[in-house]
Amino acid sequence: GGGNTCRFFLELLSHNPFPYLTIHISAVCDVNPDAEGIRLAREMGMPVLEDYQVLFDMEGLDGIVELTHDRAILLDLIRRRPKGLWVLEHNIGRLLKTLFEWNQKLLLTQREVALERAVSEVLLHHSTERIVMLNPEFRILDANAGYLRAVEKSREEALGGKCYEIIYGFRSPCPQWEPKLECPMLETLRTRKRARVIHEVCSGDGQVAYASLETYPVLNENGEVLRVIEIRRDITDELPSRWEMKLREL
């Protein structure tokens, strides 16, 4: 989407207001060549596109932020995306926008404290995704309502617990108990970069569910991992459509 939210991001990122994240915009896409974000992108020398399917062929692309608020486009992006390419819906776009606004307002405070407060505010009030904030010891520092509903815990029960205890009842990181349950946080702590895995979980009645887990580091001024944000998404309903597309391709 190349509307006003897109323009906001382009203007903000041009001033590097969030030094703990490395963000490179590969292209901006909108069917309207006169959209305000498209015009600004063109002025800044960025590639502009009208067909978002071109994005799928771009080398080195990590993900796509969908800002059109069009559910059909979001679902189409999710179905067509290549393996490993993440798609953030417009709610996450608003989450990031709020986080950047907080960062701008709190530049004169201690950055670590300010950043943690900003993330907490966003988690609690500005996202429908299942999001949790962890410290490097896997303890849950904050969680939004979507996450609490997913784990069927009250806020009091979840905060202070370790993520693997709250989700699966384990006493140590998941791979030590179930090797097939890879841990993206371990990878993020090791590399200080985003990581993503898929968990397959069988319920007591034999039903199989799939969850996508993505972790993002929050770094301090020394580049050390201060916090880790985990986004958990139920993708069970997405998988049949992916298989159907692969069969059609064959």
Side-chain angles (χ1 to χ4, degrees), residues 234-246:
D234 186 346
I235 60 170
T236 306
D237 294 337
E238 297 177 19
L239 294 181
S241 61
R242 292 185 188 177
W243 282 112
E244 290 170 6
M245 287 185 61
K246 289 184 180 293

Side-chain angles (χ1 to χ4, degrees), residues 68-127:
T68 67
H69 299 238
D70 187 321
R71 186 71 177 174
I73 291 179
L74 172 64
L75 293 176
D76 192 51
L77 286 169
I78 291 173
R79 293 191 185 105
R80 293 174 178 269
R81 63 183 173 180
K83 182 179 179 181
L85 185 72
W86 47 261
V87 176
L88 298 182
E89 63 174 320
H90 63 268
N91 285 323
I92 297 297
R94 288 202 298 266
L95 181 153
L96 293 173
K97 180 177 179 179
T98 303
L99 185 56
F100 282 131
E101 289 173 341
W102 267 90
N103 187 64
Q104 286 293 94
K105 294 176 183 178
L106 299 173
L107 283 175
L108 299 180
T109 65
Q110 285 287 333
R111 284 194 176 271
E112 292 183 6
V113 175
L115 188 57
E116 183 172 334
R117 288 177 180 172
V119 173
S120 296
E121 175 69 13
V122 170
L123 288 176
L124 292 174
H125 302 294
H126 293 277
S127 179

Side-chain angles (χ1 to χ4, degrees), residues 177-237:
W177 296 81
E178 289 286 348
K180 67 178 182 179
L181 296 179
E182 299 177 88
C183 178
M185 180 163 170
L186 287 173
E187 183 69 10
T188 290
L189 291 174
R190 185 180 68 84
T191 65
R192 294 180 294 178
K193 296 180 179 180
R194 178 187 75 91
R196 179 176 183 266
V197 301
I198 294 177
H199 281 188
E200 176 184 287
V201 182
C202 294
S203 62
D205 59 3
Q207 295 293 318
V208 178
Y210 296 89
S212 167
L213 281 70
E214 297 182 63
T215 49
Y216 297 83
V218 178
L219 308 178
N220 63 16
E221 292 183 351
N222 297 320
E224 301 164 329
V225 178
L226 177 67
R227 300 288 184 259
V228 174
I229 300 170
E230 178 190 282
I231 301 176
R232 175 178 289 263
R233 181 181 294 111
D234 186 346
I235 60 170
T236 306
D237 294 337

